[in-house]
Amino acid sequence: MNDAPPAPAAAGPRIMIVAGEASGDAHAAHVVRALRARTPDARFFGIAGTHMQREGVEALVDARQMAVVGLVEVLAHFRFLYGVLQRLRRVLRDERPDLLILVDYPDFNLRLARTARELGVPVLYYISPQVWAWRKGRVKTIAERVDRMAVVFPFEVPLYQDAGLHVEFVGHPLAEECEPMDRVQARARLGLPAGTRVVGLFPGSRRSEVKRLLPTMVAAAETLHQRFPDVRFLLPLASSLDHADLAPHLAGTQVEIEVVEDRAQEVMHASDAIVSASGTATLEIALAGTPLLIVYRVAPLSYTLLRRIIKLPHIGLCNIVAEREVAPELLQDAAEPGRIADVLGRMLEDEVYAAELRAGLAGVRARLGGAGCAENVARMAVEMLGERR
């Protein structure tokens, strides 16, 4: 972690950008690329993962250190997260950037937004907190701390308009980031024979998710392998993780699980069935059209608290967008190896069931808008920079 602010530059807008997890890092990288095309002399710094760093963002903190899920888990990492927040607040005060772009990660980013507002630094918030799911009172707080909202679901617009905040639906980043490909093409890229049956394992992009979900997914794969000995299991390595995060959970398994780097999209399209942690990945898989089982497990206390707060009928983003269950869900104690293996097995052998799931997933893309999301966010940022000067 680098405590010092970035070295001063003679010209060009100074933009702090903060993304605290893998999906936000990937989406933010596209925005940085689009912004560089418009403002080549811009200087970017903040919390950045591998994708943003490849686009030239100076990482004061690596986003991989920030990925924590669950209320209890956040409390366990509170001292570290608070320390990072204080470091970035000092950078804001010392550097006074021309713009602060916040990407998702609301509990951290809204605190940083308050400091920016106090210092007169304009704030663009990209990818809204899920105020439609829980803590709707945060809309007022956001309106007090944020200058513009770039939202990725059309149903979010009225929530912020009613609060008097400048808001635009920019489309969903996945609509342009998910590369269209067919199963044959995807399997060719992975070196898989055309007739191979494939199951994808997506245990999440956070270490805490992997710790809770991967052992269960491995056990389910072992059970499934007994019924379908020809099935191959592929596990994409999230950019926020490394092999050491997976190794303890894969050692001594009774079935071969192939870890694949930088090929998540191919795995999504090549698979016959997928089990995935709840999160943004469920939208990506829905766009690929592959039958999907969503699983979710956190600490028991976190789950008890969340069930009291969240009033939505579904937890998977693809189901929330579709406004019905287009992917089955197994939550908490129900997410156990036997039941996971049963659902995946049905996807593999029941063609009618698999076809029904694919038909349901096909409707998700239409609700996410077309391409151009990153360009829309970049345009908003340039407008705000223009107002600043």
Side-chain angles (χ1 to χ4, degrees), residues 177-194 234 260-267 269-270:
E177 292 174 16
C178 293
E179 179 186 357
M181 69 182 82
D182 59 30
R183 185 175 300 182
V184 174
Q185 179 186 15
R187 292 189 174 194
R189 291 186 182 184
L190 293 168
L192 297 171
L234 303 183
V260 181
E261 293 189 57
D262 300 321
R263 287 288 184 269
Q265 286 291 316
E266 284 88 342
V267 175
H269 286 83

Side-chain angles (χ1 to χ4, degrees), residues 58 118 135 165 192 207 254 272 286 295 329 375 389:
E58 181 178 354
E118 293 169 354
R135 294 172 65 183
L165 181 59
L192 297 171
R207 292 180 177 88
Q254 302 303 307
D272 296 284
V295 294
E329 299 180 348
E375 288 291 339
R389 295 191 169 190

